[in-house]
Structures are given as C-alpha cells and as structure tokens.
Amino acid sequence: NHQREHSLTPFLDSLLNESLVFDGMANGRQSIEALTSILSGLPSLMSRDYVESRYAANRLDGIGTILKRHGYSTAFFHGGNNGTMNFDASALAAGFDSYYGRNEFGNDDFYDGTWGISDMPFLQYTARKVDEMHKPFAVGVFTLSSHHPFSIPKGYTVPEGDYMSDFEKTVRYTDDSMRKFFETMSQYSWYDSTIFVITGDHVNPEHRFDNYLNGYGQYQIVTATPSPALIKAENTGIMLQHTDLGLSLLAAVGSNDTVFSFGPKVFDSLQQPCFMSYLNNIYEYSDGQYMLQSDGQNITAVFDIKADPCLTDNLYVKGEDDRWDEINSQFRLRLQQYNNRMINNKLYIK
C-alpha cells in the first residue's frame, strides 16, 4: 500500500468534514450504468446496459419527473460530446427538461480533444447557468476530466504531490475544479438553501489497496451531502446505494409522492439498507452486514462485509441454505420484480 504525503483530493476531504457521509455503493462498474441508477432508481442487473438494451424505451419516473410536479425547473449538465453514453437521453427520461453539453457550452477552446469540455471551465459555466434558472431547481452535474486518456488542460499546473499516474493528476485537477465551482456557487443567494449531493459514478480504474480488489470494494464510492446550512455533518456508517438517492432527496424536500424505486430512502425505519449489482453472471446482494453472491438461482457465496471487507472467508456451506433464507428471499424478490417489471414496462407507479 502506498502511503501518501499529499492528498489527491484536498477540497473533497474538506467537504466531507462538513457533510452527512454514507458508505456509498455504486450499482454498476461503468459510467453508462450510473445515471439511470441515480436519477431513476434502476440498478444495472442485465448483461447489456439498460440504455443500450431493448427496454431503453420503457417509462421511468425519475427524480426530475417528480420534482417538476412540485414546480421545480430541471436541468442536467455534462460537458461531454452530446450523445456520449446516451447521457442526454437518460437525463430526459428521468425528467430533466434541459441538457447542457459541449454543444451548448459553445467554445471549443476548452475541448479536451476526446470527451468534451474540461471540468474547470464547464463547472463555472454550470454555476452561471444554474443561477439563471427559475427557483426552485433540481440539477444534475457529471464531471469528465478524470477519464482516460487523462489529459491535463493547457494552462493548468498540477500542484506539487506524489502522483503515481496521469489518472491521479486528473483527479487533482477535478478536485480543484470542484473547489472553484463551490466558491462561485457560494456567492449566489440560493447556495445556503440548496441540498448538494456528491457521489462517484463508479470505482476508479486504478486499484492500489486490497480492500478494493473484490466484489464488495469494487463498488464502494464516496457519497455525501455537503450542505452544512441544512444538514448536520456526521459519518453515518450507513450503506447507501445509487438507487437510494432519488427517494432520499424527494423525502428531504418534503415530497409525499408514490414513487417506484429499487432502493429504499435513507433513514427509512421500515426498510433495511441494501445493495444490488450484477457482473459476469453473478448477482450480489447485501443488507449492510452480509453480502450474498448468487447465479440467480443458487447461492454461491456469503461474506460478512463488516468483519471481512476483503471477502476472504466464504461463510456459505451447502446444506445450510436455511441460515440465509431471509437475505436470499429479499434478493430473489427484488430480482423477480426487476425482471417482470422490465419485461412488462411497469417500472413506474400509475
């Protein structure tokens, strides 16, 4: 393990100190899987990404759809080439009326040559456009600079540090971009009355620590709400997956709408935290204490993620299925609902 003298994310670190922090879990391993999970409560449980599947035209009532009923204006900002990973279509499907990408930014002096507009200028553009929106508003923002080929924009000098790759340098660049983004937003009147949520779309591609090299760690991400004027800072230790975010935000702004989602809202006294994923023909389901792995029909492994986060001790023994009846039942119920509702286009509440 590499011990760092300098943090790659000093600004994010400072935000976490004043945030409500969760044990974040991505429901997928790629950027293309993240938006539908975060905005529409739908995990990625198929061999093909939802937005590229035969079901992509299914109706989804995302967080934007619900908030528009309450008078919110909605927009999604992603400085990428318009159409990249169907982000524009995913945002519109989740109820976001406007999409701002490279085309809308309109100045290719800041084009990174691959993905789109570099984070620092695009986030400044985002802050200005958000300030022009009718209040209240709901906005999604997706950064792009910390993606391959990890190019640093001209004119930016990477601060001194013990960087081990170009990827790590772009992480620092994005952290600086976020710092300036928050500095600009803090000057606007709506800043202190806005709920901010920071999360990762998936785990980074460079693993240097053993606890990220397994079926649990490869989904662990930062998830926090840096909104000190509204939400008390605390490290909750509660598992929170992407699909929980929409319902949790709706609850936070006082919405009582009936919404379909594969994730519970955080702090729900009637439901336990949970997590679902699918990769290489293996499903994973966790209740926050144990992680079950299954081929969809049979349990293949069970781990205690609190005591064994590196998943080295498989607790499952054939013939002891009844020991895991409850967690397996919860997993099978969700998988059945996912398959039936996907096939029959019932991923919403009438």
Side-chain angles (χ1 to χ4, degrees):
N1 289 347
H2 177 62
Q3 300 299 318
R4 296 188 182 280
E5 182 180 353
H6 302 93
S7 171
L8 294 178
T9 56
F11 176 69
L12 178 58
D13 296 346
S14 69
L15 277 186
L16 295 182
N17 289 331
E18 54 185 38
S19 298
L20 189 65
V21 180
F22 301 93
D23 290 350
M25 300 292 289
N27 289 110
R29 294 279 291 130
Q30 303 177 83
S31 300
I32 196 171
E33 300 173 283
L35 253 61
T36 306
S37 296
I38 294 171
L39 303 181
S40 298
L42 185 67
S44 184
L45 301 180
M46 297 186 291
S47 297
R48 193 171 183 84
D49 304 319
Y50 170 77
V51 297
E52 296 180 337
S53 74
R54 60 187 294 185
Y55 307 107
N58 280 2
R59 172 181 165 182
L60 297 175
D61 284 353
I63 185 173
T65 304
I66 307 304
L67 289 176
K68 282 193 296 186
R69 299 174 188 167
H70 297 276
Y72 282 71
S73 55
T74 58
F76 193 86
F77 292 83
H78 170 234
N81 305 315
N82 293 58
T84 298
M85 291 182 284
N86 291 322
F87 277 4
D88 47 359
S90 296
L92 293 174
F96 288 79
D97 282 334
S98 301
Y99 179 88
Y100 295 90
R102 176 186 171 191
N103 292 351
E104 289 72 22
F105 183 81
N107 185 351
D108 273 357
D109 289 345
F110 300 101
Y111 177 49
D112 69 1
T114 305
W115 289 106
I117 306 303
S118 297
D119 286 344
M120 195 168 291
F122 190 78
L123 289 178
Q124 292 300 305
Y125 166 80
T126 297
R128 295 191 298 270
K129 296 299 290 185
V130 170
D131 188 53
E132 296 171 2
M133 292 176 64
H134 170 75
K135 282 69 172 176
F137 55 73
V139 169
V141 183
F142 192 100
T143 61
L144 57 74
S145 291
S146 53
H147 282 79
H148 186 273
F150 311 124
S151 58
I152 299 296
K154 293 180 180 178
Y156 176 79
T157 301
V158 181
E160 181 181 349
D162 47 344
Y163 305 103
M164 300 183 68
S165 66
D166 289 338
F167 163 71
E168 294 189 351
K169 293 178 181 178
T170 60
V171 169
R172 182 57 194 269
Y173 168 73
T174 295
D175 188 70
D176 275 353
S177 301
M178 288 178 56
R179 174 177 55 81
K180 292 190 175 183
F181 183 42
F182 272 79
E183 287 174 355
T184 299
M185 290 191 295
S186 68
Q187 301 171 20
Y188 296 126
S189 60
W190 43 265
Y191 180 78
D192 284 338
S193 58
T194 299
I195 296 175
F196 296 95
V197 176
I198 291 180
T199 190
D201 54 340
H202 58 80
V203 172
N204 77 68
E206 296 187 5
H207 305 291
R208 305 193 186 282
F209 301 94
D210 291 342
N211 53 316
Y212 292 106
L213 298 172
N214 57 73
Y216 174 45
Q218 67 181 350
Y219 293 99
Q220 289 183 288
I221 53 171
V222 170
T223 301
T225 58
S227 311
L230 300 174
I231 301 173
K232 181 180 178 182
E234 179 188 355
N235 191 339
T236 67
I238 296 174
M239 175 178 282
L240 184 72
Q241 60 185 334
H242 275 163
T243 57
D244 305 347
L245 286 170
L247 278 184
S248 301
L249 283 170
L250 290 173
V253 300
S255 168
N256 291 318
D257 296 69
T258 301
V259 182
F260 182 80
S261 174
F262 280 93
K265 62 184 178 184
V266 69
F267 304 127
D268 189 333
S269 60
L270 300 179
Q271 295 191 69
Q272 293 294 320
C274 68
F275 162 72
M276 287 191 74
S277 68
Y278 175 80
L279 183 66
N280 296 332
N281 298 315
I282 293 294
Y283 297 93
E284 291 189 324
Y285 177 82
S286 176
D287 61 0
Q289 176 69 49
Y290 296 101
M291 175 166 283
L292 175 146
Q293 295 179 344
S294 170
D295 61 9
Q297 297 295 326
N298 302 297
I299 300 172
T300 57
V302 178
F303 300 94
D304 183 338
I305 58 175
K306 295 292 187 182
D308 178 29
C310 292
L311 309 191
T312 59
D313 183 18
N314 183 0
L315 304 178
Y316 179 68
V317 177
K318 289 185 178 180
E320 294 184 357
D321 287 35
D322 55 340
R323 179 183 176 187
W324 310 109
D325 275 352
E326 178 59 27
I327 187 173
N328 192 36
S329 175
Q330 291 296 320
F331 157 66
R332 295 291 296 274
L333 174 64
R334 286 166 172 78
L335 182 60
Q336 182 184 50
Q337 285 283 313
Y338 183 92
N339 291 334
N340 289 345
R341 288 180 176 273
M342 185 71 72
I343 292 169
N344 295 301
N345 192 11
K346 292 185 177 180
L347 297 165
Y348 62 93
I349 301 295
K350 291 186 178 180

